[in-house]
Amino acid sequence: MFFGSNSISKLFFIFALFVAFGGTAFAVSPFFDRDEKTDLAVFRPGNRNWYAHSSENQSFSALQWGTATDRLVPADYDGDGLTDYAVWRPENGFWYVLRSSNKQLLAVKWGMQTAISFGTVSDEPVVGDYDGDGTADLAVWRPTTGVWYVLKSSKNFDANFADSFQWGKLGDIPVPADYDGDGRTDYAVFRYSENRWYIFQSKTATWLVSNLGAPGTDLLAPEDYTGDGKTDIAVYRHGLWIVERSEDHQLMFFNFGAYDDTPVPDDYDGDNKADFAVYRRGAWYIMQSATARMRVHNFGMPDDVPVGSLKVKPSIVGIP
């Protein structure tokens, strides 16, 4: 197990990322080359630059995209297999996507801020492939009503063909992913007041309910850790990973990381299994599932936001 400083509370750090930069569960894995291995990537709020390191040829790239208050929503919106730089702007509800296929801007208004008695609550961007066409859809979840609104890529993001789904309430944490392995993102939330995951499985239109986690302590880190094509329910607890295997719903435990590390699970070795990985003030520690060996890579600065952390959510959020 690693030992790090206690300079910042992990819970509040991730909560700050959730509020300031948002998070997603589909296609936020940075693929800036075609070797099918997750690339190292960070966003630097100070200069609004994205920095990426290619696993294919070890090259570096940098791009300024977005503002300091935007939510980060990188994904493959044009279906070319590469991640597009993208942000969602709460102030005006616009998505700004730089499409990797043609370097053209896609700007679509989808989402809003809702006025409440003490101020405003923003929609949460919940990017996913809800229609199963292999391309990311523009989607938001509205905390005040619990409604999911999806602009499908298969319909060219046309609002006339938008989908909506009612599930969740204020205080829930959206954790959309493909939990049933049908290639479509499932609507899902973690309800900290009940310590439960509620997942609407698109394959069978049935609910999967699971109790896993310690609200306020754990970080929600769903990924496919077993390589069966289904996202596993999982949490990160101060260096301990707890995974509910999708195959048999048995728990798997693994110690890797320290109290104030940022979990960044993803498939860094290309074996179709998510690797246990953490980001520590510019250093990446990756336990490669293909070789059971740890890889260490220095890339980024202490205040950078690792793109891999966007899929990780707090297990409790403040309600305005």
Side-chain angles (χ1 to χ4, degrees), residues 1 20 37 56 68 90 95 144 160 167 181 186 189 208 228 264 300 315 319:
M1 182 173 181
K37 298 179 182 179
E56 185 176 42
W95 297 68
T144 53
N160 293 316
W167 181 245
D186 302 314
V189 300
L208 172 64
D228 69 343
V264 287
S315 54
I319 300 177

Side-chain angles (χ1 to χ4, degrees), residues 127-313:
V127 178
D129 183 7
Y130 296 89
D131 55 9
D133 68 345
T135 303
D137 303 313
L138 307 183
V140 296
W141 179 70
R142 190 154 298 160
T144 53
T145 62
V147 177
W148 303 65
Y149 297 96
V150 180
L151 273 187
K152 295 178 286 187
S153 56
S154 58
K155 299 297 183 180
N156 296 315
F157 308 117
D158 188 337
N160 293 316
F161 299 97
D163 281 344
S164 63
F165 186 80
Q166 173 81 47
W167 181 245
K169 64 181 182 179
L170 193 64
D172 288 350
I173 296 96
V175 284
D178 181 10
Y179 295 92
D180 55 15
D182 68 346
R184 290 179 289 174
T185 298
D186 302 314
Y187 302 105
V189 300
F190 177 78
R191 183 161 298 163
Y192 76 86
S193 60
E194 302 175 9
N195 190 29
R196 286 193 178 100
W197 300 63
Y198 289 97
I199 299 165
F200 186 74
Q201 300 172 107
S202 56
K203 185 176 183 178
T204 60
T206 59
W207 289 97
L208 172 64
V209 181
S210 174
N211 287 76
L212 178 64
T217 299
D218 294 348
L219 297 170
L220 312 176
E223 265 287 4
D224 182 7
Y225 297 94
T226 61
D228 69 343
K230 300 178 182 179
T231 297
D232 303 304
I233 295 169
V235 299
Y236 177 82
R237 182 180 298 167
H238 305 326
L240 173 65
W241 301 75
I242 307 174
V243 178
E244 181 180 319
R245 294 161 46 96
S246 57
E247 298 94 323
D248 52 19
H249 298 289
Q250 297 299 304
L251 295 183
M252 178 173 65
F253 301 85
F254 192 76
N255 281 295
F256 192 76
Y259 178 85
D260 60 350
D261 287 344
T262 301
V264 287
D266 222 320
D267 182 11
Y268 297 93
D269 54 15
D271 67 347
N272 296 318
K273 297 180 182 179
D275 304 312
F276 299 110
V278 296
Y279 180 81
R280 184 183 303 165
R281 298 179 295 280
W284 301 70
Y285 297 88
I286 302 168
M287 180 57 70
Q288 300 179 114
S289 56
T291 61
R293 293 183 178 180
M294 185 176 71
R295 165 189 168 194
V296 182
H297 200 103
N298 291 307
F299 185 73
M301 297 179 65
D303 294 330
D304 288 350
V305 179
V307 173
S309 71
L310 299 177
K311 290 180 285 187
V312 176
K313 303 289 186 68

Side-chain angles (χ1 to χ4, degrees), residues 65-136:
W65 190 256
T67 70
T69 59
D70 288 344
R71 309 284 184 94
L72 309 182
V73 288
D76 180 11
Y77 296 93
D78 52 12
D80 67 347
L82 300 177
T83 299
D84 304 315
Y85 295 102
V87 297
W88 181 72
R89 193 157 296 166
E91 300 94 289
N92 59 16
F94 266 92
W95 297 68
Y96 298 100
V97 179
L98 182 61
R99 290 176 285 196
S100 56
S101 58
N102 56 18
K103 305 304 179 185
Q104 298 297 307
L105 170 67
L106 171 68
V108 179
K109 183 175 176 59
W110 193 247
M112 56 181 280
Q113 292 182 322
T114 303
I116 60 174
S117 58
F118 298 103
T120 60
V121 175
S122 292
D123 289 350
E124 290 296 334
V126 284
V127 178
D129 183 7
Y130 296 89
D131 55 9
D133 68 345
T135 303

Side-chain angles (χ1 to χ4, degrees), residues 15-88:
F15 176 73
L17 294 186
F18 185 78
V19 172
F21 301 108
T24 66
F26 166 80
V28 300
S29 301
F31 292 111
F32 298 107
D33 54 41
R34 298 189 180 280
D35 66 353
E36 298 185 354
K37 298 179 182 179
T38 297
D39 299 314
L40 306 183
V42 298
F43 176 78
R44 191 160 297 163
N47 59 14
R48 307 184 309 284
N49 275 347
W50 303 68
Y51 298 96
H53 175 264
S54 169
S55 57
E56 185 176 42
N57 56 28
Q58 308 306 307
S59 63
F60 296 87
S61 61
L63 177 74
Q64 188 175 87
W65 190 256
T67 70
T69 59
D70 288 344
R71 309 284 184 94
L72 309 182
V73 288
D76 180 11
Y77 296 93
D78 52 12
D80 67 347
L82 300 177
T83 299
D84 304 315
Y85 295 102
V87 297
W88 181 72

